[in-house]
PDB file of all heavy atoms in Angstrom:
ATOM      1  N   GLY A 130      21.543   0.162 -55.682  1.00  0.00           N
ATOM      2  CA  GLY A 130      21.007   1.057 -54.659  1.00  0.00           C
ATOM      3  C   GLY A 130      20.096   2.112 -55.268  1.00  0.00           C
ATOM      4  O   GLY A 130      19.013   2.402 -54.744  1.00  0.00           O
ATOM      5  N   TYR A 131      20.529   2.662 -56.395  1.00  0.00           N
ATOM      6  CA  TYR A 131      19.735   3.666 -57.095  1.00  0.00           C
ATOM      7  C   TYR A 131      18.396   3.064 -57.542  1.00  0.00           C
ATOM      8  O   TYR A 131      17.345   3.706 -57.420  1.00  0.00           O
ATOM      9  CB  TYR A 131      20.512   4.192 -58.304  1.00  0.00           C
ATOM     10  CG  TYR A 131      19.758   5.206 -59.137  1.00  0.00           C
ATOM     11  CD1 TYR A 131      19.567   6.510 -58.686  1.00  0.00           C
ATOM     12  CD2 TYR A 131      19.244   4.853 -60.384  1.00  0.00           C
ATOM     13  CE1 TYR A 131      18.878   7.431 -59.459  1.00  0.00           C
ATOM     14  CE2 TYR A 131      18.559   5.773 -61.163  1.00  0.00           C
ATOM     15  CZ  TYR A 131      18.375   7.066 -60.697  1.00  0.00           C
ATOM     16  OH  TYR A 131      17.690   7.978 -61.457  1.00  0.00           O
ATOM     17  N   ALA A 132      18.415   1.835 -58.023  1.00  0.00           N
ATOM     18  CA  ALA A 132      17.185   1.167 -58.466  1.00  0.00           C
ATOM     19  C   ALA A 132      16.222   0.958 -57.291  1.00  0.00           C
ATOM     20  O   ALA A 132      15.005   1.109 -57.447  1.00  0.00           O
ATOM     21  CB  ALA A 132      17.515  -0.168 -59.129  1.00  0.00           C
ATOM     22  N   VAL A 133      16.757   0.631 -56.111  1.00  0.00           N
ATOM     23  CA  VAL A 133      15.923   0.496 -54.912  1.00  0.00           C
ATOM     24  C   VAL A 133      15.229   1.823 -54.616  1.00  0.00           C
ATOM     25  O   VAL A 133      14.016   1.874 -54.373  1.00  0.00           O
ATOM     26  CB  VAL A 133      16.761   0.043 -53.689  1.00  0.00           C
ATOM     27  CG1 VAL A 133      15.951   0.164 -52.396  1.00  0.00           C
ATOM     28  CG2 VAL A 133      17.237  -1.389 -53.869  1.00  0.00           C
ATOM     29  N   ASP A 134      15.997   2.913 -54.657  1.00  0.00           N
ATOM     30  CA  ASP A 134      15.425   4.240 -54.380  1.00  0.00           C
ATOM     31  C   ASP A 134      14.353   4.615 -55.393  1.00  0.00           C
ATOM     32  O   ASP A 134      13.320   5.199 -55.044  1.00  0.00           O
ATOM     33  CB  ASP A 134      16.535   5.301 -54.373  1.00  0.00           C
ATOM     34  CG  ASP A 134      17.431   5.209 -53.152  1.00  0.00           C
ATOM     35  OD1 ASP A 134      16.984   4.671 -52.120  1.00  0.00           O
ATOM     36  OD2 ASP A 134      18.587   5.669 -53.227  1.00  0.00           O
ATOM     37  N   ARG A 135      14.594   4.293 -56.663  1.00  0.00           N
ATOM     38  CA  ARG A 135      13.614   4.604 -57.709  1.00  0.00           C
ATOM     39  C   ARG A 135      12.323   3.814 -57.493  1.00  0.00           C
ATOM     40  O   ARG A 135      11.223   4.337 -57.662  1.00  0.00           O
ATOM     41  CB  ARG A 135      14.204   4.294 -59.088  1.00  0.00           C
ATOM     42  CG  ARG A 135      15.245   5.294 -59.570  1.00  0.00           C
ATOM     43  CD  ARG A 135      14.612   6.601 -60.035  1.00  0.00           C
ATOM     44  NE  ARG A 135      13.781   6.413 -61.205  1.00  0.00           N
ATOM     45  CZ  ARG A 135      14.086   6.843 -62.421  1.00  0.00           C
ATOM     46  NH1 ARG A 135      15.210   7.507 -62.617  1.00  0.00           N
ATOM     47  NH2 ARG A 135      13.266   6.641 -63.433  1.00  0.00           N
ATOM     48  N   ALA A 136      12.458   2.544 -57.130  1.00  0.00           N
ATOM     49  CA  ALA A 136      11.279   1.710 -56.880  1.00  0.00           C
ATOM     50  C   ALA A 136      10.467   2.251 -55.706  1.00  0.00           C
ATOM     51  O   ALA A 136       9.232   2.325 -55.762  1.00  0.00           O
ATOM     52  CB  ALA A 136      11.704   0.269 -56.625  1.00  0.00           C
ATOM     53  N   ILE A 137      11.174   2.656 -54.631  1.00  0.00           N
ATOM     54  CA  ILE A 137      10.497   3.205 -53.453  1.00  0.00           C
ATOM     55  C   ILE A 137       9.791   4.517 -53.805  1.00  0.00           C
ATOM     56  O   ILE A 137       8.649   4.757 -53.384  1.00  0.00           O
ATOM     57  CB  ILE A 137      11.499   3.401 -52.292  1.00  0.00           C
ATOM     58  CG1 ILE A 137      11.879   2.031 -51.711  1.00  0.00           C
ATOM     59  CG2 ILE A 137      10.923   4.300 -51.204  1.00  0.00           C
ATOM     60  CD1 ILE A 137      12.964   2.083 -50.651  1.00  0.00           C
ATOM     61  N   LYS A 138      10.440   5.335 -54.605  1.00  0.00           N
ATOM     62  CA  LYS A 138       9.850   6.614 -55.023  1.00  0.00           C
ATOM     63  C   LYS A 138       8.521   6.391 -55.758  1.00  0.00           C
ATOM     64  O   LYS A 138       7.529   7.092 -55.526  1.00  0.00           O
ATOM     65  CB  LYS A 138      10.848   7.359 -55.920  1.00  0.00           C
ATOM     66  CG  LYS A 138      10.469   8.802 -56.232  1.00  0.00           C
ATOM     67  CD  LYS A 138      11.571   9.469 -57.034  1.00  0.00           C
ATOM     68  CE  LYS A 138      11.184  10.908 -57.373  1.00  0.00           C
ATOM     69  NZ  LYS A 138      12.245  11.561 -58.182  1.00  0.00           N
ATOM     70  N   VAL A 139       8.513   5.397 -56.638  1.00  0.00           N
ATOM     71  CA  VAL A 139       7.297   5.072 -57.397  1.00  0.00           C
ATOM     72  C   VAL A 139       6.196   4.565 -56.458  1.00  0.00           C
ATOM     73  O   VAL A 139       5.039   4.969 -56.566  1.00  0.00           O
ATOM     74  CB  VAL A 139       7.602   4.015 -58.486  1.00  0.00           C
ATOM     75  CG1 VAL A 139       6.331   3.385 -59.022  1.00  0.00           C
ATOM     76  CG2 VAL A 139       8.362   4.659 -59.633  1.00  0.00           C
ATOM     77  N   LEU A 140       6.559   3.684 -55.533  1.00  0.00           N
ATOM     78  CA  LEU A 140       5.563   3.150 -54.592  1.00  0.00           C
ATOM     79  C   LEU A 140       4.949   4.271 -53.753  1.00  0.00           C
ATOM     80  O   LEU A 140       3.721   4.330 -53.573  1.00  0.00           O
ATOM     81  CB  LEU A 140       6.211   2.097 -53.681  1.00  0.00           C
ATOM     82  CG  LEU A 140       6.592   0.783 -54.363  1.00  0.00           C
ATOM     83  CD1 LEU A 140       7.452  -0.069 -53.443  1.00  0.00           C
ATOM     84  CD2 LEU A 140       5.350   0.002 -54.806  1.00  0.00           C
ATOM     85  N   LYS A 141       5.790   5.171 -53.260  1.00  0.00           N
ATOM     86  CA  LYS A 141       5.287   6.303 -52.462  1.00  0.00           C
ATOM     87  C   LYS A 141       4.364   7.190 -53.292  1.00  0.00           C
ATOM     88  O   LYS A 141       3.310   7.625 -52.818  1.00  0.00           O
ATOM     89  CB  LYS A 141       6.460   7.126 -51.919  1.00  0.00           C
ATOM     90  CG  LYS A 141       7.191   6.495 -50.744  1.00  0.00           C
ATOM     91  CD  LYS A 141       8.312   7.425 -50.293  1.00  0.00           C
ATOM     92  CE  LYS A 141       8.963   6.950 -49.006  1.00  0.00           C
ATOM     93  NZ  LYS A 141      10.088   7.847 -48.622  1.00  0.00           N
ATOM     94  N   ALA A 142       4.775   7.465 -54.539  1.00  0.00           N
ATOM     95  CA  ALA A 142       3.983   8.326 -55.422  1.00  0.00           C
ATOM     96  C   ALA A 142       2.614   7.717 -55.706  1.00  0.00           C
ATOM     97  O   ALA A 142       1.647   8.439 -55.980  1.00  0.00           O
ATOM     98  CB  ALA A 142       4.732   8.578 -56.725  1.00  0.00           C
ATOM     99  N   ARG A 143       2.535   6.391 -55.637  1.00  0.00           N
ATOM    100  CA  ARG A 143       1.263   5.701 -55.897  1.00  0.00           C
ATOM    101  C   ARG A 143       0.443   5.509 -54.617  1.00  0.00           C
ATOM    102  O   ARG A 143      -0.562   4.803 -54.612  1.00  0.00           O
ATOM    103  CB  ARG A 143       1.543   4.353 -56.570  1.00  0.00           C
ATOM    104  CG  ARG A 143       2.178   4.501 -57.953  1.00  0.00           C
ATOM    105  CD  ARG A 143       2.524   3.157 -58.556  1.00  0.00           C
ATOM    106  NE  ARG A 143       1.321   2.390 -58.888  1.00  0.00           N
ATOM    107  CZ  ARG A 143       0.700   2.413 -60.064  1.00  0.00           C
ATOM    108  NH1 ARG A 143       1.185   3.178 -61.033  1.00  0.00           N
ATOM    109  NH2 ARG A 143      -0.376   1.695 -60.280  1.00  0.00           N
ATOM    110  N   GLY A 144       0.897   6.142 -53.530  1.00  0.00           N
ATOM    111  CA  GLY A 144       0.118   6.115 -52.299  1.00  0.00           C
ATOM    112  C   GLY A 144       0.383   4.943 -51.379  1.00  0.00           C
ATOM    113  O   GLY A 144      -0.329   4.750 -50.387  1.00  0.00           O
ATOM    114  N   VAL A 145       1.399   4.144 -51.696  1.00  0.00           N
ATOM    115  CA  VAL A 145       1.749   3.024 -50.811  1.00  0.00           C
ATOM    116  C   VAL A 145       2.398   3.602 -49.550  1.00  0.00           C
ATOM    117  O   VAL A 145       3.323   4.408 -49.630  1.00  0.00           O
ATOM    118  CB  VAL A 145       2.703   2.039 -51.524  1.00  0.00           C
ATOM    119  CG1 VAL A 145       3.127   0.922 -50.572  1.00  0.00           C
ATOM    120  CG2 VAL A 145       2.036   1.461 -52.767  1.00  0.00           C
ATOM    121  N   ARG A 146       1.912   3.177 -48.394  1.00  0.00           N
ATOM    122  CA  ARG A 146       2.351   3.817 -47.150  1.00  0.00           C
ATOM    123  C   ARG A 146       3.573   3.172 -46.503  1.00  0.00           C
ATOM    124  O   ARG A 146       4.275   3.796 -45.708  1.00  0.00           O
ATOM    125  CB  ARG A 146       1.196   3.838 -46.151  1.00  0.00           C
ATOM    126  CG  ARG A 146       0.110   4.861 -46.534  1.00  0.00           C
ATOM    127  CD  ARG A 146      -0.676   5.282 -45.324  1.00  0.00           C
ATOM    128  NE  ARG A 146      -1.402   4.161 -44.739  1.00  0.00           N
ATOM    129  CZ  ARG A 146      -2.720   3.988 -44.857  1.00  0.00           C
ATOM    130  NH1 ARG A 146      -3.433   4.853 -45.532  1.00  0.00           N
ATOM    131  NH2 ARG A 146      -3.305   2.960 -44.301  1.00  0.00           N
TER     132      ARG A 146
END
Side-chain angles (χ1 to χ4, degrees):
Y131 178 74
V133 169
D134 288 336
R135 286 285 295 251
I137 287 174
K138 190 176 179 181
V139 164
L140 290 169
K141 284 181 172 178
R143 295 176 68 91
V145 177
R146 287 204 297 255

